Amino acid sequence: MQLKYCKLQIGCLLVILYLAFIYYKERKRFHLSGRRTIYDVLLTEGIVCLFLDGLTAYTVNHQELINPMVNLVLHGLFLISIDALIFLMLLYMLDATEGLPSDRKKKLLLAAPFLVNVLIVVLNLHSLEYRQGKEIFYSMGISVYTCFAMAALYILLTIVYVIRHWKFIESHKRVNMMTNLLVVAGVTGYQMLVPDSLISSIATTLILAGAYVNQENPAMKELSRYHDEMVMGFATLIESRDSSTGGHVKRTTQYVKLLAEEVRRRGYYSEILTKDYMDNLLKAAPMHDVGKIAVPDAILQKPGRLTPEEFEIMKLHAPKGGEIIQESFGRMGNEQYLEIAGQIARYHHEKWNGKGYPEGLKRKEIPLCARIMAIADVFDAVSADRCYRPALPLEECFEIIQNGSGQDFDPILVEIFMDLREEVQKVKEGNFGEVIKK
């Protein structure tokens, strides 16, 4: 059997099979194999695409050995698999950054070109032509043209999307994503201009390998998990200095999660609340009071009301927290996390009416992350026992947040927080699992 017409495809397939072996082996090692992700689907589709790519490269150049109908069906499956791969690439990019759309109309609009193209490919498969190139045969026809058009459309949409959301994508992701996309676009464009080159397998390999290296390496995900646990442990240690058990850190993080996810679901601040932003917000929330490490115990643990002088010292924990985060995490390479964590620590005591501290910011001058944190922090502060007073009744705690709308807090965030009373109460009662599953 002569394999000279599909050596490139076989080589690419072997590379991806090896990558898949490492990927699933590492997922099992780090106990990440329970949940199927879009990358799992993308990887499976890529392997199928590479197999069909090599198979059709062989059959089109051995037409005398292959039944014409079999050849036609294989080419149809290959063209559809290419479209599916490019479509999944777009979904993967959306899921890795902003998140997949929840609205049914948006989902349908996103999938429409793919569905229409599959229909056109199937209906026009009978008109497929096998043309002689310089050295090999290749297939052309309406089905191929529409496949090229859809691939170009989705690649262009993905590039435009990444550019439009550039500043909201983590810095270590954005360059890798764009580089990978541009190379894939270049390879795909060359395949369109020189159809007998048969190098589409390179684009498939780059998509899968690029995603693995940039975002899907299980070892890197495990390292990120260790970092999150370290941050939570550090934050809990700081909280224990003012006679807290660490529950404040966990509860406020869950309040932030509930509020931010519902704000995003309702479409508010959608240009800011991308998936990366949400992930970094939840990682940064536990560090909101890190500046308290610089406050003397005599003030932090005082059972009574602070004097004006003592309160001025206590207020320094906000700017000090921003400085500590900058100094401690400035070299970790995640600029967005650093910015969000710094803003939360420094500005979570600012008020909507400009009467907060340390800078007296007002309204949307206050970063969104700090506005969300402010509600979570105040609610937990009044609903939990403190060394200077017992917890207030839950109804009164919600009233404090409601009465602060337009004064202390962003009115939109207050309205949504009040709508989440049931979920908030579950967190307050310690039912974190129920809230997370929901």
Side-chain angles (χ1 to χ4, degrees):
M1 180 182 289
Q2 295 182 5
L3 299 177
K4 68 176 183 179
Y5 301 111
C6 50
K7 286 191 293 186
L8 176 62
Q9 290 83 352
I10 292 173
C12 289
L13 179 60
L14 290 175
V15 168
I16 296 306
L17 286 174
Y18 175 72
L19 184 147
F21 171 75
I22 296 297
Y23 172 70
Y24 287 112
K25 179 184 175 185
E26 292 294 284
R27 277 176 64 87
K28 185 176 181 180
R29 175 188 171 196
F30 295 118
H31 308 289
L32 301 172
S33 55
R35 190 172 66 90
R36 191 168 175 81
T37 67
I38 289 185
Y39 183 72
D40 293 320
V41 180
L42 184 67
L43 187 57
T44 302
E45 175 58 30
I47 291 171
V48 171
C49 189
L50 286 169
F51 175 75
L52 290 171
D53 195 352
L55 194 58
T56 51
Y58 178 82
T59 61
V60 77
N61 285 283
H62 295 81
Q63 297 174 49
E64 70 282 0
L65 302 176
I66 307 298
N67 182 289
M69 183 55 68
V70 172
N71 206 358
L72 204 62
V73 170
L74 288 175
H75 275 80
L77 291 173
F78 171 56
L79 293 173
I80 292 172
S81 73
I82 289 179
D83 289 339
L85 184 75
I86 298 296
F87 177 56
L88 285 169
M89 181 187 73
L90 175 61
L91 295 184
Y92 175 78
M93 289 295 186
L94 288 174
D95 185 59
T97 52
E98 186 180 48
L100 296 176
S102 56
D103 184 79
R104 184 175 295 179
K105 290 183 179 179
K106 289 182 179 179
K107 288 180 178 177
L108 186 59
L109 184 63
L110 202 61
F114 171 63
L115 298 175
V116 170
N117 187 72
V118 169
L119 185 62
I120 294 174
V121 167
V122 173
L123 292 177
N124 292 278
L125 201 56
H126 65 278
S127 63
L128 204 64
E129 305 172 12
Y130 304 124
R131 299 181 184 177
Q132 173 71 62
K134 291 181 179 180
E135 297 182 4
I136 60 174
F137 282 92
Y138 62 95
S139 56
M140 291 300 290
I142 294 175
S143 295
V144 177
Y145 296 138
T146 55
C147 179
F148 283 167
M150 199 221 75
L153 174 64
Y154 276 130
I155 289 173
L156 181 61
L157 283 175
T158 308
I159 291 174
V160 169
Y161 171 81
V162 172
I163 291 174
R164 288 188 61 185
H165 292 79
W166 188 258
K167 66 178 180 178
F168 299 115
I169 298 174
E170 292 179 358
S171 57
H172 67 282
K173 286 185 180 180
R174 54 172 77 137
V175 175
N176 293 334
M177 278 184 174
M178 185 54 72
T179 303
N180 189 252
L181 279 171
L182 291 176
V183 173
V184 169
V187 172
T188 306
Y190 185 81
Q191 175 66 63
M192 293 177 184
L193 294 172
V194 189
D196 62 339
S197 61
L198 300 185
I199 61 168
S200 57
S201 58
I202 296 178
T204 302
T205 305
L206 288 172
I207 291 171
L208 299 173
Y212 176 83
V213 171
N214 296 336
Q215 297 174 152
E216 297 299 330
N217 188 329
M220 295 305 296
K221 287 190 173 184
E222 185 69 3
L223 185 62
S224 178
R225 187 180 69 82
Y226 285 152
H227 167 265
D228 296 344
E229 290 181 355
M230 181 192 71
V231 168
M232 182 63 79
F234 182 53
T236 301
L237 181 64
I238 294 170
E239 287 294 334
S240 67
R241 290 189 61 234
D242 61 357
S243 303
S244 170
T245 61
H248 174 69
V249 170
K250 295 174 183 176
R251 288 191 301 271
T252 51
T253 300
Q254 286 303 313
Y255 296 147
V256 165
K257 175 182 170 65
L258 280 172
L259 182 52
E261 286 181 347
E262 185 62 17
V263 169
R264 187 172 184 269
R265 190 187 70 79
R266 297 190 185 188
Y268 294 106
Y269 306 118
S270 56
E271 73 284 359
I272 297 176
L273 293 173
T274 62
K275 189 171 185 294
D276 279 344
Y277 190 97
M278 296 283 287
D279 290 344
N280 285 312
L281 173 61
L282 295 182
K283 291 176 183 177
M287 300 295 287
H288 66 281
D289 274 338
V290 68
K292 284 185 177 179
I293 200 170
V295 178
D297 288 345
I299 294 175
L300 203 58
Q301 299 173 9
K302 185 176 180 179
R305 183 179 293 274
L306 298 179
T307 66
E309 293 77 15
E310 290 170 334
F311 186 59
E312 288 302 314
I313 295 174
M314 175 65 84
K315 284 162 64 174
L316 293 176
H317 84 274
K320 188 63 179 176
E323 293 172 12
I324 290 172
I325 287 172
Q326 185 66 45
E327 292 168 0
S328 302
F329 299 95
R331 296 183 181 180
M332 67 179 290
N334 189 340
E335 294 176 7
Q336 189 183 67
Y337 170 80
L338 185 65
E339 180 181 26
I340 292 173
Q343 288 175 342
I344 284 178
R346 187 174 183 85
Y347 300 124
H348 70 283
H349 286 294
E350 299 286 1
K351 296 184 177 181
W352 188 255
N353 60 10
K355 296 182 179 180
Y357 65 87
E359 296 180 18
L361 302 180
K362 61 180 182 295
R363 296 180 177 268
K364 292 186 179 180
E365 292 175 355
I366 308 168
L368 178 61
C369 55
R371 304 202 305 267
I372 292 173
M373 189 74 238
I375 293 176
D377 189 45
V378 170
F379 181 82
D380 194 71
V382 296
S383 63
D385 291 328
R386 292 298 175 96
C387 59
Y388 49 86
R389 56 138 183 84
L392 299 178
L394 207 56
E395 191 62 35
E396 189 175 337
C397 297
F398 280 111
E399 285 181 11
I400 289 173
I401 300 300
Q402 181 68 74
N403 294 336
S405 178
Q407 297 298 315
D408 297 337
F409 312 117
D410 182 334
I412 292 176
L413 299 183
V414 170
E415 179 184 349
I416 295 173
F417 186 81
M418 297 303 291
D419 290 342
L420 292 169
R421 290 174 69 122
E422 201 174 308
E423 288 84 353
V424 169
Q425 189 166 349
K426 287 178 182 177
V427 174
K428 176 66 182 69
E429 293 169 354
N431 298 325
F432 298 116
E434 290 184 32
V435 176
I436 291 171
K437 287 177 184 176
K438 180 173 182 182

